Amino acid sequence: MLRTSIVMATRNRDCIFRCLRSILKQTVRPYEIVVVDTSVTDKLKPRIEKLLKSSGIRVVYGHYTHNNLCTSRNKGVDKATGDLLFFLDDDAVLDRRYVEEITSFLESNKDAAGAEGFIVNEKNRRILERLAYFPRMPKRDELSRVWFLHGSNMTYRRGILNKFRFDENIPGFCIDDTEFGTRVSREHKLYFVPTAIVEHNPAEKGGMRTKGMETSRDLYEHCMVRVRAYHYVFMKHLSLTEFFAFL
């Protein structure tokens, strides 16, 4: 079986422990978990190590001072040693067969460069992408080709990550997955695997996906980061077709 690494970026969020506990319940556990922590302090480290101490999973923890998701993903790639790298958001929760389903699919489909699972609490997320296959649109729970993988749960082969890097010029914590996946899918095949089930739950704070902004200033800064990210990607690719795919 291919060696698997899970790469998780986190920043000031306790929800990572809910995700880690779901990893411990996997029918097939990963070889290692790489945590890239950009929190204000490294106080998560002893709690993570304690939780995973007797799991048999290799733990690689790094604390950094940057505030950029693409940088975190690239650092995770550099630290990971697996053949398959699972990128998980810290607010994702995996079904117990998730790692087994994705690994089995990629072992059986050598032409697949990467795969994502079925986010069961975001069932309508793929509507626009499925429309691109009109008139023969795949069902929302049907194995299908996709042009990018959702950042909450995306798995790529090591060879792809040796060839492509996440663009660290993208500010903040959004659109990196779409931009990266679109570049990869120009040359390689990416797949949606509906039997690999995951939940993506709103985090209490941090990132681009929160239950609520505390102040109008928070909301303004949140929106401006997103605007700058989309503007950068548009100027980089200068393709309206691809740009609207990012939306």
Side-chain angles (χ1 to χ4, degrees), residues 139-165:
K139 298 177 182 179
R140 69 184 184 188
D141 57 353
E142 178 182 353
L143 176 69
S144 57
R145 287 274 303 276
V146 294
W147 66 65
F148 69 94
L149 306 178
H150 194 279
S152 67
N153 77 111
M154 55 183 181
T155 302
Y156 287 99
R157 295 185 188 275
R158 164 60 68 179
I160 295 298
L161 295 160
N162 289 341
K163 182 177 180 181
F164 296 90
R165 300 283 286 182

Side-chain angles (χ1 to χ4, degrees), residues 116 124-134 136-138 144-150 178 182 185 190-192 244-245:
E116 67 171 6
N124 295 321
R125 185 181 59 81
R126 285 292 185 186
I127 288 178
L128 292 178
E129 184 163 345
R130 300 203 318 272
L131 284 172
Y133 293 91
F134 184 85
R136 197 278 174 205
M137 295 184 292
S144 57
R145 287 274 303 276
V146 294
W147 66 65
F148 69 94
L149 306 178
H150 194 279
T178 316
T182 300
S185 64
L190 303 176
Y191 287 89
F192 164 67
F244 283 116

Side-chain angles (χ1 to χ4, degrees), residues 10-203:
T10 191
R11 180 176 174 82
N12 301 326
R13 304 209 296 194
D14 280 350
C15 58
I16 187 174
F17 294 100
R18 183 173 53 188
C19 183
L20 289 172
R21 284 191 288 270
S22 74
I23 294 171
L24 291 176
K25 296 177 182 178
Q26 293 298 294
T27 54
V28 176
R29 287 183 174 180
Y31 168 73
E32 67 184 356
I33 297 175
V34 178
V35 177
V36 181
D37 184 7
T38 58
S39 303
V40 175
T41 71
D42 63 352
K43 65 180 182 180
L44 290 179
K45 181 180 180 180
R47 296 174 62 192
I48 291 171
E49 292 177 341
K50 180 180 179 180
L51 178 64
L52 301 176
K53 183 177 180 179
S54 60
S55 66
I57 300 172
R58 179 174 183 258
V59 179
V60 181
Y61 173 91
H63 183 259
Y64 304 92
T65 58
H66 65 265
N67 188 17
N68 180 279
L69 181 55
C70 288
T71 302
S72 292
R73 294 201 196 278
N74 285 333
K75 287 187 180 297
V77 170
D78 294 339
K79 296 292 185 180
T81 63
D83 304 305
L84 301 178
L85 273 65
F86 290 68
F87 295 90
L88 299 179
D89 279 1
D90 58 6
D91 55 3
V93 177
L94 308 181
D95 175 79
R96 61 190 298 272
R97 290 182 56 86
Y98 178 88
V99 171
E100 182 178 358
E101 292 288 344
I102 293 291
T103 303
S104 177
F105 174 81
L106 291 173
E107 286 183 331
S108 302
N109 295 270
K110 306 300 184 184
D111 65 330
E116 67 171 6
F118 183 15
I119 305 176
V120 291
N121 58 332
E122 295 183 7
K123 294 181 179 179
N124 295 321
R125 185 181 59 81
R126 285 292 185 186
I127 288 178
L128 292 178
E129 184 163 345
R130 300 203 318 272
L131 284 172
Y133 293 91
F134 184 85
R136 197 278 174 205
M137 295 184 292
K139 298 177 182 179
R140 69 184 184 188
D141 57 353
E142 178 182 353
L143 176 69
S144 57
R145 287 274 303 276
V146 294
W147 66 65
F148 69 94
L149 306 178
H150 194 279
S152 67
N153 77 111
M154 55 183 181
T155 302
Y156 287 99
R157 295 185 188 275
R158 164 60 68 179
I160 295 298
L161 295 160
N162 289 341
K163 182 177 180 181
F164 296 90
R165 300 283 286 182
F166 291 93
D167 187 344
E168 297 182 16
N169 292 310
I170 298 176
F173 302 88
C174 67
I175 208 174
D176 63 291
D177 51 353
T178 316
E179 195 277 334
F180 181 83
T182 300
R183 282 188 281 126
V184 173
S185 64
R186 289 171 180 164
E187 304 177 31
H188 305 277
K189 296 178 181 179
L190 303 176
Y191 287 89
F192 164 67
V193 181
T195 54
I197 297 171
V198 58
E199 292 183 6
H200 192 202
N201 301 295

